[in-house]
Amino acid sequence: MPRPSLASSHLLVRLRAWFGLRQPELALYLGLSTIQVQGIETGRRRLTLPVTEALLPLLAHLPAPDADAAAPTAALPPDQPAPTPADLDFRRRVCQQRAARLRTQAARLSQQAHQAHRWALVLPALLAAPPDPDPERATWRTGWLRRQARPLSAAAVTRWHLLQAQAQALETEAAALTALLATALVEPFQAS
């Protein structure tokens, strides 16, 4: 039995990708087993006339191979309903609240870092001051001053950056939702 051309074996793969079908779904549509569909896709089996006829309605809507890559997937088709403004607004408010919480957490870490930096600047002068006559208190005081001047840990600095990035992402989402809400609320009135 001759092997089918490479183009025909990839035809089912392209068709499944375009219509979002898994092999078992395509097999069910065609009245074949999943193994038969796998065999056709890998080139071990040929496309028969009945299978080709069953595929014709789908193939009529399959773009050329070079058009597959250029097909827009980010936008919705025009026949979709308008988004629900209440749901969009709810998500926008959730994003704003979460971003505000994250900014507050980041601000606390930033404040700790700045306070430690201020202590680090004054630490040499404090350590050069005459020592406390009580040696135990002097040891405690020196340790306490050094702890006050200790910078944030690498984990805390990483957390600050992550908080900033997450807050920025949520604020960007909220801004996009605000813009979408403006168009979603205007478009119904323009259509009337």
Side-chain angles (χ1 to χ4, degrees), residues 16-106:
R16 285 193 312 103
W18 184 255
F19 287 101
L21 296 171
R22 295 186 326 266
Q23 281 182 339
E25 293 169 326
L26 183 60
L28 184 63
Y29 170 76
L30 294 173
L32 301 173
S33 71
T34 303
I35 292 176
Q36 289 172 310
V37 170
Q38 288 172 351
I40 294 169
E41 286 185 4
T42 59
R44 290 190 318 270
R45 290 183 171 266
R46 293 182 47 183
L47 279 172
T48 62
L49 184 59
V51 170
T52 303
E53 287 174 350
L55 289 172
L56 284 177
L58 297 174
L59 292 173
H61 294 281
L62 187 66
D66 56 340
D68 284 358
T73 56
L76 292 175
D79 60 349
Q80 301 301 305
T84 308
D87 292 340
L88 296 176
D89 188 50
F90 177 76
R91 177 60 189 174
R92 181 187 59 80
R93 288 184 283 120
V94 166
C95 289
Q96 290 171 332
Q97 290 170 356
R98 287 183 181 168
R101 273 197 305 265
L102 294 171
R103 293 280 185 206
T104 299
Q105 292 173 24

Side-chain angles (χ1 to χ4, degrees), residues 69-152:
T73 56
L76 292 175
D79 60 349
Q80 301 301 305
T84 308
D87 292 340
L88 296 176
D89 188 50
F90 177 76
R91 177 60 189 174
R92 181 187 59 80
R93 288 184 283 120
V94 166
C95 289
Q96 290 171 332
Q97 290 170 356
R98 287 183 181 168
R101 273 197 305 265
L102 294 171
R103 293 280 185 206
T104 299
Q105 292 173 24
R108 281 190 212 117
L109 286 172
S110 179
Q111 183 179 17
Q112 290 172 9
H114 283 283
Q115 288 170 346
H117 179 71
R118 290 180 204 122
W119 276 105
L121 293 175
V122 75
L123 184 63
L126 294 173
L127 293 176
D132 192 304
D134 179 359
E136 191 174 303
R137 179 166 163 70
T139 302
W140 172 86
R141 182 178 175 269
T142 301
W144 182 81
L145 290 172
R146 290 186 191 283
R147 282 190 301 279
Q148 294 298 100
R150 190 176 312 153
L152 293 179

